[in-house]
Amino acid sequence: MVGSGIQATKLTDDVALQLLANSTATVFGLGVLIALLGPVSGAHFNPA
């Protein structure tokens, strides 16, 4: 999620807050993908 990293750096200079914002965006993004594609694929996502 490159866009969330860029947005986090524009949000604040605090690195801890940047990591929190980036991880939160990633969690919600994966949650939406799993909710939408779960019935089709069984929600098997490999984060690697």
Side-chain angles (χ1 to χ4, degrees), residues 20-42:
L20 179 65
N22 195 3
S23 63
T24 303
T26 303
V27 164
F28 284 122
L30 280 175
V32 168
L33 285 174
I34 290 171
L36 291 176
L37 300 175
V40 177
S41 68

Side-chain angles (χ1 to χ4, degrees), residues 2-48:
V2 175
S4 61
I6 294 170
Q7 186 65 30
T9 57
K10 293 182 182 214
L11 175 69
T12 182
D13 289 333
D14 185 13
V15 177
L17 191 56
Q18 290 175 1
L19 289 173
L20 179 65
N22 195 3
S23 63
T24 303
T26 303
V27 164
F28 284 122
L30 280 175
V32 168
L33 285 174
I34 290 171
L36 291 176
L37 300 175
V40 177
S41 68
H44 296 205
F45 284 91
N46 185 358

